[in-house]
Amino acid sequence: MKYFAIILVLFSFLSCRIQTDKPEKELIVCSTSIIADCVKEIVGDKIEVVSLMGPGVDPHAYNPRPSDVKYLNNASVIIYSGFHLEGKMAELFERLSERKKVIEVAHYFDQSAKIEADPGIIDPHIWFRATAWIDAFEPITLELIDLFPAKSKQFNTNYQILKKRVYAISKAGKKLLEEIPIESRVLITSHDAFHYFGKEFGIEVKALQGISTTQEPGVKDVIGLVDFIVKRKVKALFVEHSVSPKAIQTVIYSCKRKGHLVQVGGLLYSDALGEKQKLGGSYVGMLQHNIQTILLGLKEK
Ligand SMILES: [Zn+2]
Protein backbone atom coordinates (compact mmCIF):
# COMPACT_ATOMS: atom_id res chain seq x y z
CA MET A 1 0.00 0.00 0.00
CA LYS A 2 2.83 2.34 0.98
CA TYR A 3 4.73 1.53 -2.25
CA PHE A 4 1.55 2.12 -4.20
CA ALA A 5 1.16 5.57 -2.64
CA ILE A 6 4.80 6.46 -3.46
CA ILE A 7 4.43 5.27 -7.05
CA LEU A 8 1.19 7.23 -7.39
CA VAL A 9 2.84 10.42 -6.13
CA LEU A 10 5.91 9.89 -8.31
CA PHE A 11 3.65 9.33 -11.28
CA SER A 12 1.60 12.44 -10.54
CA PHE A 13 4.82 14.38 -10.06
CA LEU A 14 6.25 13.28 -13.42
CA SER A 15 2.96 13.73 -15.23
CA CYS A 16 2.56 17.34 -14.11
CA ARG A 17 6.13 18.38 -14.85
CA ILE A 18 4.99 20.53 -17.70
CA GLN A 19 2.58 22.66 -15.66
CA THR A 20 5.31 24.53 -13.82
CA ASP A 21 3.42 27.70 -12.89
CA LYS A 22 6.07 29.81 -11.22
CA PRO A 23 4.93 30.54 -7.65
CA GLU A 24 4.88 34.20 -6.64
CA LYS A 25 7.38 33.65 -3.83
CA GLU A 26 10.37 31.31 -3.96
CA LEU A 27 9.45 28.10 -2.17
CA ILE A 28 11.49 25.83 0.11
CA VAL A 29 9.83 22.48 0.84
CA CYS A 30 10.95 20.55 3.93
CA SER A 31 9.92 17.05 4.90
CA THR A 32 9.39 17.64 8.65
CA SER A 33 8.20 20.55 10.77
CA ILE A 34 11.52 20.46 12.69
CA ILE A 35 13.56 21.16 9.54
CA ALA A 36 11.02 23.72 8.28
CA ASP A 37 11.25 25.71 11.52
CA CYS A 38 15.08 25.83 11.43
CA VAL A 39 15.02 26.86 7.76
CA LYS A 40 12.40 29.56 8.46
CA GLU A 41 14.63 30.99 11.19
CA ILE A 42 17.48 31.22 8.65
CA VAL A 43 15.66 32.54 5.57
CA GLY A 44 13.16 34.85 7.30
CA ASP A 45 9.79 35.64 5.78
CA LYS A 46 10.82 36.69 2.27
CA ILE A 47 10.89 33.07 1.12
CA GLU A 48 8.01 30.68 1.67
CA VAL A 49 8.92 27.58 3.68
CA VAL A 50 6.49 24.67 3.94
CA SER A 51 6.64 21.37 5.76
CA LEU A 52 5.05 18.34 4.11
CA MET A 53 4.41 16.82 7.54
CA GLY A 54 2.39 18.98 9.91
CA PRO A 55 2.38 19.16 13.74
CA GLY A 56 2.32 15.77 15.44
CA VAL A 57 2.80 13.80 12.21
CA ASP A 58 4.92 10.65 12.54
CA PRO A 59 7.59 10.73 9.78
CA HIS A 60 8.41 6.99 9.96
CA ALA A 61 4.95 6.01 8.78
CA TYR A 62 4.29 8.98 6.49
CA ASN A 63 2.74 8.37 3.08
CA PRO A 64 2.92 11.26 0.63
CA ARG A 65 -0.39 12.93 -0.13
CA PRO A 66 -1.42 14.00 -3.64
CA SER A 67 -1.30 17.64 -2.43
CA ASP A 68 2.45 17.23 -1.71
CA VAL A 69 2.99 16.97 -5.47
CA LYS A 70 2.12 20.65 -5.99
CA TYR A 71 4.65 21.73 -3.37
CA LEU A 72 7.41 19.42 -4.58
CA ASN A 73 6.77 20.50 -8.14
CA ASN A 74 7.02 24.22 -7.31
CA ALA A 75 9.92 23.96 -4.85
CA SER A 76 13.15 25.85 -5.55
CA VAL A 77 14.82 23.48 -3.08
CA ILE A 78 13.72 20.44 -1.08
CA ILE A 79 15.26 19.64 2.33
CA TYR A 80 14.80 16.34 4.15
CA SER A 81 16.30 14.77 7.27
CA GLY A 82 17.65 11.42 6.00
CA PHE A 83 19.06 8.26 7.67
CA HIS A 84 15.71 6.75 6.61
CA LEU A 85 13.67 8.91 9.00
CA GLU A 86 11.17 9.56 6.22
CA GLY A 87 10.77 5.84 5.46
CA LYS A 88 9.91 5.20 1.86
CA MET A 89 9.76 8.97 1.13
CA ALA A 90 13.57 8.80 0.80
CA GLU A 91 13.15 7.11 -2.58
CA LEU A 92 10.98 9.98 -3.74
CA PHE A 93 13.56 12.59 -2.65
CA GLU A 94 16.35 10.67 -4.38
CA ARG A 95 14.37 10.59 -7.61
CA LEU A 96 13.61 14.31 -7.33
CA SER A 97 17.32 15.09 -6.81
CA GLU A 98 17.93 14.07 -10.42
CA ARG A 99 16.22 17.26 -11.57
CA LYS A 100 15.90 19.53 -8.52
CA LYS A 101 18.07 20.86 -5.74
CA VAL A 102 17.56 18.41 -2.87
CA ILE A 103 19.46 18.69 0.43
CA GLU A 104 19.71 15.88 2.99
CA VAL A 105 20.52 17.24 6.48
CA ALA A 106 22.12 13.87 7.43
CA HIS A 107 24.73 14.46 4.71
CA TYR A 108 26.10 17.42 6.68
CA PHE A 109 25.69 15.89 10.15
CA ASP A 110 29.00 15.28 11.96
CA GLN A 111 29.91 11.68 11.14
CA SER A 112 31.53 11.17 14.56
CA ALA A 113 28.25 12.15 16.29
CA LYS A 114 26.24 9.45 14.53
CA ILE A 115 24.68 6.72 16.70
CA GLU A 116 24.30 3.21 15.35
CA ALA A 117 20.99 1.68 16.50
CA ASP A 118 21.76 -1.73 15.02
CA PRO A 119 24.77 -2.83 12.97
CA GLY A 120 24.69 -0.68 9.83
CA ILE A 121 21.50 1.17 10.88
CA ILE A 122 21.98 4.79 11.88
CA ASP A 123 19.54 6.27 14.41
CA PRO A 124 17.77 9.02 12.41
CA HIS A 125 16.73 11.32 15.33
CA ILE A 126 19.70 13.62 14.78
CA TRP A 127 17.94 16.92 15.66
CA PHE A 128 18.24 15.95 19.34
CA ARG A 129 22.06 16.16 19.13
CA ALA A 130 21.22 19.85 19.10
CA THR A 131 24.72 21.31 18.66
CA ALA A 132 25.70 18.89 15.84
CA TRP A 133 22.28 19.40 14.22
CA ILE A 134 22.61 23.17 14.15
CA ASP A 135 26.24 22.87 12.94
CA ALA A 136 24.88 20.90 9.95
CA PHE A 137 22.83 23.97 9.03
CA GLU A 138 26.00 26.00 8.46
CA PRO A 139 26.79 24.30 5.10
CA ILE A 140 23.04 24.19 4.39
CA THR A 141 22.92 27.98 4.87
CA LEU A 142 25.77 28.25 2.34
CA GLU A 143 23.80 26.09 -0.10
CA LEU A 144 20.79 28.38 0.37
CA ILE A 145 23.01 31.44 -0.19
CA ASP A 146 24.15 29.83 -3.45
CA LEU A 147 20.52 29.67 -4.53
CA PHE A 148 19.55 33.11 -3.21
CA PRO A 149 22.82 35.12 -3.31
CA ALA A 150 21.07 38.46 -2.72
CA LYS A 151 20.06 37.24 0.77
CA SER A 152 23.59 36.23 1.82
CA LYS A 153 23.98 38.72 4.68
CA GLN A 154 20.51 38.12 6.11
CA PHE A 155 20.87 34.30 6.01
CA ASN A 156 24.29 34.40 7.66
CA THR A 157 23.14 36.71 10.45
CA ASN A 158 19.98 34.70 11.10
CA TYR A 159 21.93 31.45 11.16
CA GLN A 160 24.45 32.79 13.69
CA ILE A 161 21.60 33.96 15.98
CA LEU A 162 19.92 30.54 15.79
CA LYS A 163 23.21 28.73 16.43
CA LYS A 164 23.88 30.85 19.52
CA ARG A 165 20.41 30.11 20.91
CA VAL A 166 20.76 26.37 20.37
CA TYR A 167 24.24 26.25 21.93
CA ALA A 168 22.90 28.21 24.93
CA ILE A 169 20.00 25.76 25.37
CA SER A 170 22.36 22.81 25.11
CA LYS A 171 24.50 24.20 27.92
CA ALA A 172 21.60 25.29 30.13
CA GLY A 173 19.66 22.05 29.52
CA LYS A 174 22.59 19.89 30.63
CA LYS A 175 22.90 21.92 33.81
CA LEU A 176 19.17 21.75 34.58
CA LEU A 177 18.98 17.98 34.14
CA GLU A 178 21.87 17.58 36.60
CA GLU A 179 19.33 18.60 39.26
CA ILE A 180 17.80 15.11 38.86
CA PRO A 181 19.62 12.65 41.16
CA ILE A 182 21.92 10.49 39.02
CA GLU A 183 20.12 7.22 39.90
CA SER A 184 16.79 8.70 38.75
CA ARG A 185 18.22 10.37 35.64
CA VAL A 186 16.67 7.95 33.17
CA LEU A 187 14.31 8.91 30.38
CA ILE A 188 11.82 6.25 29.27
CA THR A 189 9.68 6.90 26.19
CA SER A 190 7.47 5.02 23.74
CA HIS A 191 9.89 4.78 20.83
CA ASP A 192 13.67 4.99 20.75
CA ALA A 193 13.98 8.61 19.60
CA PHE A 194 16.03 10.08 22.44
CA HIS A 195 19.55 8.61 22.24
CA TYR A 196 20.95 11.79 20.69
CA PHE A 197 19.03 13.79 23.31
CA GLY A 198 20.62 11.60 25.99
CA LYS A 199 24.11 12.34 24.62
CA GLU A 200 23.44 16.06 24.29
CA PHE A 201 21.87 16.59 27.71
CA GLY A 202 23.46 13.81 29.78
CA ILE A 203 20.58 11.49 30.54
CA GLU A 204 20.26 7.70 30.29
CA VAL A 205 17.64 6.63 27.74
CA LYS A 206 15.36 3.59 27.40
CA ALA A 207 12.39 2.94 25.14
CA LEU A 208 9.75 0.36 24.51
CA GLN A 209 9.83 0.39 20.71
CA GLY A 210 12.81 0.53 18.39
CA ILE A 211 14.02 3.58 16.43
CA SER A 212 11.01 3.41 14.11
CA THR A 213 7.37 3.48 15.17
CA THR A 214 6.66 0.95 12.42
CA GLN A 215 8.24 -1.75 14.61
CA GLU A 216 5.57 -2.93 17.08
CA PRO A 217 6.81 -3.74 20.62
CA GLY A 218 6.63 -7.43 21.52
CA VAL A 219 5.78 -9.11 24.84
CA LYS A 220 9.53 -9.56 25.47
CA ASP A 221 10.08 -5.79 25.08
CA VAL A 222 7.31 -5.02 27.61
CA ILE A 223 8.62 -7.56 30.15
CA GLY A 224 12.20 -6.29 29.76
CA LEU A 225 11.19 -2.67 30.29
CA VAL A 226 8.90 -3.46 33.24
CA ASP A 227 11.75 -5.35 34.95
CA PHE A 228 14.07 -2.40 34.38
CA ILE A 229 11.55 0.12 35.79
CA VAL A 230 10.82 -1.98 38.88
CA LYS A 231 14.53 -2.67 39.54
CA ARG A 232 15.54 0.97 39.12
CA LYS A 233 12.40 2.28 40.92
CA VAL A 234 11.71 4.65 38.01
CA LYS A 235 8.85 6.93 38.96
CA ALA A 236 7.86 8.47 35.63
CA LEU A 237 7.59 7.51 31.95
CA PHE A 238 6.99 9.93 29.11
CA VAL A 239 4.54 9.82 26.24
CA GLU A 240 5.30 11.30 22.84
CA HIS A 241 3.21 13.81 20.92
CA SER A 242 3.47 11.90 17.62
CA VAL A 243 3.14 8.35 19.03
CA SER A 244 0.11 6.56 20.52
CA PRO A 245 0.36 6.35 24.37
CA LYS A 246 -1.27 2.89 24.41
CA ALA A 247 1.95 0.85 24.77
CA ILE A 248 3.20 3.08 27.61
CA GLN A 249 -0.12 2.55 29.44
CA THR A 250 0.44 -1.22 29.17
CA VAL A 251 3.87 -0.81 30.81
CA ILE A 252 2.40 1.33 33.64
CA TYR A 253 -0.31 -1.29 34.25
CA SER A 254 2.24 -4.15 34.25
CA CYS A 255 4.43 -2.27 36.76
CA LYS A 256 1.41 -1.75 39.01
CA ARG A 257 0.72 -5.50 38.94
CA LYS A 258 4.29 -6.00 40.17
CA GLY A 259 3.65 -3.59 43.03
CA HIS A 260 5.54 -0.60 41.59
CA LEU A 261 3.73 2.67 40.95
CA VAL A 262 4.99 4.59 37.95
CA GLN A 263 3.17 7.48 36.29
CA VAL A 264 3.20 9.51 33.09
CA GLY A 265 5.72 12.30 33.69
CA GLY A 266 4.45 14.38 30.79
CA LEU A 267 4.29 14.68 27.02
CA LEU A 268 7.46 15.12 24.95
CA TYR A 269 7.94 16.22 21.37
CA SER A 270 10.02 13.69 19.50
CA ASP A 271 9.69 13.41 15.73
CA ALA A 272 7.48 16.42 15.03
CA LEU A 273 6.82 19.85 16.49
CA GLY A 274 3.59 20.72 18.24
CA GLU A 275 0.97 23.26 17.23
CA LYS A 276 2.36 26.72 16.41
CA GLN A 277 0.95 28.50 19.48
CA LYS A 278 2.57 26.06 21.93
CA LEU A 279 6.15 26.11 23.23
CA GLY A 280 6.80 22.87 21.33
CA GLY A 281 5.77 24.61 18.11
CA SER A 282 9.35 25.62 17.27
CA TYR A 283 12.65 23.70 17.27
CA VAL A 284 14.16 25.74 20.10
CA GLY A 285 10.85 25.62 22.02
CA MET A 286 10.66 21.85 21.57
CA LEU A 287 14.07 21.44 23.23
CA GLN A 288 13.04 23.77 26.07
CA HIS A 289 9.69 22.04 26.55
CA ASN A 290 11.30 18.58 26.68
CA ILE A 291 13.96 19.67 29.19
CA GLN A 292 11.38 21.32 31.48
CA THR A 293 8.99 18.35 31.27
CA ILE A 294 11.71 15.77 32.02
CA LEU A 295 12.99 17.87 34.92
CA LEU A 296 9.50 18.21 36.45
CA GLY A 297 8.72 14.53 35.93
CA LEU A 298 11.93 13.10 37.42
CA LYS A 299 13.13 15.64 39.99
CA GLU A 300 12.67 14.82 43.67
CA LYS A 301 9.66 16.72 44.97
ZN1 LIG B 1 11.21 8.36 15.48
Side-chain angles (χ1 to χ4, degrees):
M1 189 61 209
K2 207 184 250 178
Y3 279 106
F4 179 71
I6 302 274
I7 289 164
L8 199 73
V9 167
L10 255 176
F11 182 74
S12 338
F13 182 81
L14 295 171
S15 65
C16 63
R17 278 174 70 165
I18 20 168
Q19 340 159 347
T20 43
D21 305 332
K22 202 85 181 124
E24 281 181 15
K25 256 184 178 180
E26 294 281 1
L27 176 67
I28 300 177
V29 174
C30 305
S31 60
T32 69
S33 48
I34 297 166
I35 300 173
D37 183 69
C38 294
V39 172
K40 262 183 211 160
E41 290 286 344
I42 294 165
V43 304
D45 55 7
K46 295 284 185 285
I47 297 172
E48 192 180 351
V49 180
V50 297
S51 168
L52 297 180
M53 305 173 201
V57 173
D58 176 358
H60 302 288
Y62 186 76
N63 282 318
R65 299 163 303 171
S67 61
D68 292 343
V69 174
K70 188 188 81 183
Y71 287 125
L72 292 168
N73 204 33
N74 286 332
S76 311
V77 52
I78 297 161
I79 308 178
Y80 73 106
S81 202
F83 290 145
H84 297 286
L85 173 81
E86 292 92 346
K88 297 287 178 274
M89 284 286 281
E91 285 174 34
L92 178 61
F93 295 131
E94 268 164 40
R95 287 287 295 273
L96 288 167
S97 71
E98 289 165 16
R99 54 180 229 86
K100 274 202 176 263
K101 180 78 185 163
V102 177
I103 300 171
E104 183 188 14
V105 183
H107 175 74
Y108 289 115
F109 187 73
D110 180 0
Q111 298 300 297
S112 65
K114 287 191 307 192
I115 295 175
E116 217 176 40
D118 281 310
I121 310 280
I122 303 298
D123 182 338
H125 305 89
I126 51 177
W127 53 92
F128 279 144
R129 193 71 166 109
T131 43
W133 170 258
I134 218 61
D135 284 350
F137 277 80
E138 189 156 358
I140 293 172
T141 302
L142 294 179
E143 291 231 38
L144 294 173
I145 287 171
D146 252 5
L147 291 165
F148 310 102
K151 311 265 189 329
S152 161
K153 204 172 162 221
Q154 182 196 346
F155 287 8
N156 262 324
T157 309
N158 291 347
Y159 169 70
Q160 291 304 331
I161 293 170
L162 178 64
K163 185 176 174 177
K164 235 182 222 168
R165 286 173 70 202
V166 171
Y167 267 72
I169 287 168
S170 170
K171 207 174 157 193
K174 238 175 271 167
K175 206 149 184 54
L176 277 171
L177 293 188
E178 278 171 11
E179 291 178 20
I180 304 165
I182 185 84
E183 64 282 5
S184 313
R185 211 180 299 157
V186 52
L187 169 64
I188 301 177
T189 56
S190 314
H191 96 293
D192 226 350
F194 287 86
H195 283 286
Y196 290 99
F197 187 95
K199 277 254 178 224
E200 186 78 23
F201 298 104
I203 185 164
E204 190 182 343
V205 166
K206 283 261 172 203
L208 184 56
Q209 274 173 288
I211 55 163
S212 172
T213 52
T214 55
Q215 307 156 343
E216 286 291 321
V219 178
K220 222 174 122 193
D221 300 315
V222 175
I223 294 173
L225 189 60
V226 169
D227 285 347
F228 177 87
I229 292 166
V230 173
K231 195 171 156 215
R232 291 281 297 267
K233 300 188 179 71
V234 177
K235 57 179 204 166
L237 314 181
F238 295 85
V239 292
E240 296 170 53
H241 186 244
S242 52
V243 182
S244 161
K246 224 173 111 186
I248 281 289
Q249 296 296 353
T250 308
V251 172
I252 292 175
Y253 178 71
S254 305
C255 288
K256 200 175 165 192
R257 286 188 60 181
K258 284 198 149 196
H260 175 72
L261 282 182
V262 59
Q263 56 179 2
V264 173
L267 177 141
L268 304 179
Y269 296 100
S270 52
D271 292 7
L273 299 181
E275 288 70 26
K276 267 268 146 277
Q277 65 280 12
K278 296 202 171 151
L279 180 59
S282 71
Y283 173 63
V284 166
M286 162 206 228
L287 296 174
Q288 288 171 322
H289 168 96
N290 286 352
I291 291 161
Q292 284 169 13
T293 307
I294 295 165
L295 185 63
L296 277 174
L298 296 179
K299 216 171 114 174
E300 295 292 330
K301 293 195 174 92

